[in-house]
Amino acid sequence: MLEKIKDLIAEQIGIDRDDIKPESDFKVDLEVDSLDMFELVVALEEEYSVEIPPEDLENLTTVQSVIDYLQDKGVEA
Amino acid sequence: MRGRITGTGSCLPEKVLTNDDLSKMVDTSDEWISTRTGIRSRRIAVGETTASMAAAAAEAALENAGCLAGEIELIIVATSTQDFSFPNCASAVQAEIGAASAACMDISLACSGFIAALHTADAFIRAGIYRKALVIGSERMSSILDWKDRSVCVLFGDGAGACVLEADCGDSGILDTDLHSDGSKGMVLTGGARDMPNIKMNGQEVFKFAVRKVPESIGCLIERNGLTANDIEGFLLHQANVRIIESVARRMQADICKFPMNMMSYGNTSAASIPILLDEMNRKNKLSAGKFYVLSGFGAGLSWGSVLLRW
């Protein structure tokens, strides 16, 4: 799943794919702002057919946290 | 028979409030606001009212169309920030401009309001009931802002835009309209409650809704008229946020250059944003006769809609 998530982040937010690591913090390392996160949420929802409610967004701080979150929602790796 | 826009006008309050001005009022900065919204300044009504701005925009549109106020048979004002619940804003405009024979009504559909008003006026014209209408969007958003809420107060501005819509049997004018609401998501974006007037917004939900529904609405409208995005000269979207418009363009795989923007100067003026933009383009001769344009609004309701027209 990591590779696909990296693709989505690179594509949706325009970040160099090589800079994206599991431990990357969206705000600190990738300098992503709240609207970039909204854009990522839209892409994740469409890619994995899940719904990500606004209150869940604050827990999605790193790339790995997104993977864990999606797996918790039953998305297959 | 269809409605054709024969003149446009707009009115912006004199007072300019910049991002730097706002940073002295709340904990924010020009960098924060402009990178997330595209907005650098907005106009704020000081003395101007929703009705006075609407009337000034209407007079400019009448002059632009070469039409007399006495010829107008219908006035529709799209607004969510009426000066009074009653009398409505359209009646105040009628009195101010001297359009004594016009029927007067307001339409409340927030940021999609101008699309709904244009749709309504066009439908009356198509039905043969009226031949000349004034369609206006006017908002005093500053009257329902919490100036301590930095996530919302930086987004909005005041202003009005108007157009004259006349019956026409030719090829130009409003070709088709698409208009929808999803009332089940109403609480995502609210304002103007009697006991709590300030705007409350769930940014993530609004963003998601806008970037999905606007391309869907535009796509549906142009497809059912046998056109593609390449055939459209310009997409005049509600000026809520540059990042929403960029995302919509990307999803439509359309050139961002086809999406004119002015939110940098005026912020989000709700129902007024599309007619203000239309008037700016018209007065700069950026609307080409015979070309296709799409106007598209989205906002509280939730509501969204688009108009396909040939200029």
Side-chain angles (χ1 to χ4, degrees):
Chain A
M1 191 190 291
L2 176 63
E3 297 309 310
K4 185 68 210 170
I5 301 263
K6 278 189 186 179
D7 287 343
L8 283 178
I9 295 170
E11 201 178 304
Q12 295 300 324
I13 311 181
I15 291 173
D16 193 335
R17 206 178 176 287
D18 297 336
D19 293 340
I20 305 167
K21 311 263 184 304
E23 64 276 17
S24 300
D25 184 286
F26 286 114
K27 267 188 204 156
V28 178
D29 302 319
L30 303 179
E31 296 181 338
V32 157
D33 69 20
S34 55
L35 280 97
D36 289 323
M37 287 305 288
F38 296 166
E39 194 78 73
L40 181 62
V41 163
V42 173
L44 290 169
E45 287 190 345
E46 285 166 10
E47 180 68 29
Y48 295 105
S49 303
V50 292
E51 201 187 330
I52 304 175
E55 57 273 22
D56 290 356
L57 196 61
E58 63 189 71
N59 301 320
L60 305 181
T61 54
T62 63
V63 175
Q64 186 60 46
S65 73
V66 170
I67 294 170
D68 294 343
Y69 176 81
L70 290 171
Q71 285 173 342
D72 279 351
K73 287 220 156 204
V75 174
E76 303 279 325
Chain B
M1 186 77 76
R2 58 169 59 102
R4 184 170 72 88
I5 295 173
T6 56
T8 63
S10 56
C11 170
L12 281 310
E14 294 207 354
K15 182 180 167 56
V16 177
L17 189 70
T18 65
N19 290 351
D20 285 336
D21 295 334
L22 273 168
S23 70
K24 291 168 195 143
M25 299 159 63
V26 283
D27 182 14
T28 189
S29 69
D30 176 48
E31 192 272 340
W32 194 97
I33 300 169
S34 60
T35 57
R36 284 162 184 77
T37 68
I39 300 163
R40 306 205 82 111
S41 66
R42 68 286 294 141
R43 303 295 184 91
I44 299 296
V46 179
E48 296 97 343
T49 63
T50 299
S52 75
M53 292 187 290
E59 282 181 329
L62 286 170
E63 191 183 352
N64 187 240
C67 179
L68 298 171
E71 300 169 32
I72 296 294
E73 297 164 321
L74 172 68
I75 300 172
I76 305 181
V77 178
T79 182
S80 299
T81 48
Q82 304 90 330
D83 303 313
F84 299 88
S85 293
F86 52 89
N88 65 18
C89 187
S91 301
V93 171
Q94 184 212 42
E96 180 66 27
I97 68 174
S101 52
C104 297
M105 63 180 84
D106 288 2
I107 282 185
S108 163
L109 199 64
C111 302
S112 313
F114 185 75
I115 299 294
L118 205 52
H119 189 28
T120 305
D122 181 51
F124 273 115
I125 286 172
R126 282 170 187 259
I129 295 169
Y130 302 121
R131 296 186 58 83
K132 290 191 186 188
L134 256 174
V135 184
I136 305 165
S138 185
E139 300 280 15
R140 196 156 63 90
M141 301 307 287
S142 60
S143 67
I144 54 168
L145 290 177
D146 175 358
W147 292 100
K148 295 187 187 79
D149 181 354
R150 63 176 179 163
S151 67
V152 172
C153 75
V154 303
L155 304 176
F156 293 93
D158 300 336
C163 69
V164 175
L165 197 68
E166 298 191 45
D168 197 298
C169 297
D171 293 335
S172 293
I174 294 175
L175 305 181
D176 198 2
T177 303
D178 177 68
L179 185 63
H180 304 275
S181 284
D182 178 2
S184 73
K185 299 237 169 64
M187 298 318 281
V188 163
L189 177 52
T190 61
R194 298 206 185 282
D195 48 357
M196 198 182 66
N198 296 334
I199 297 174
K200 299 277 175 212
M201 178 171 77
N202 181 323
Q204 181 182 327
E205 289 295 316
V206 172
F207 184 91
K208 265 178 8 186
F209 143 77
V211 303
R212 284 181 177 144
K213 289 301 184 187
V214 174
E216 186 182 300
S217 169
I218 295 174
C220 164
L221 189 63
I222 58 184
E223 192 182 327
R224 77 183 181 210
N225 285 277
L227 301 169
T228 70
N230 290 333
D231 298 316
I232 308 300
E233 192 74 4
F235 298 93
L236 283 68
L237 268 53
H238 165 53
Q239 300 289 296
N241 183 310
V242 66
R243 303 274 290 272
I244 289 177
I245 294 178
E246 285 171 351
S247 184
V248 167
R250 202 146 41 88
R251 285 168 160 263
M252 290 173 54
Q253 296 177 314
D255 187 347
I256 190 69
C257 297
K258 284 189 172 182
F259 293 73
M261 293 185 232
N262 66 4
M263 86 284 282
M264 42 294 260
S265 305
Y266 307 131
N268 176 347
T269 56
S270 191
S273 81
I274 294 172
I276 291 170
L277 183 62
L278 189 70
D279 183 49
E280 273 193 355
M281 293 184 69
N282 185 27
R283 284 170 194 270
K284 289 178 184 165
N285 290 317
K286 287 186 175 172
L287 298 167
S288 308
K291 300 280 190 189
F292 296 107
Y293 294 86
V294 170
L295 318 180
S296 193
F298 50 94
L302 295 173
S303 61
W304 64 102
S306 308
V307 168
L308 173 68
L309 60 85
R310 184 186 271 144
W311 193 253

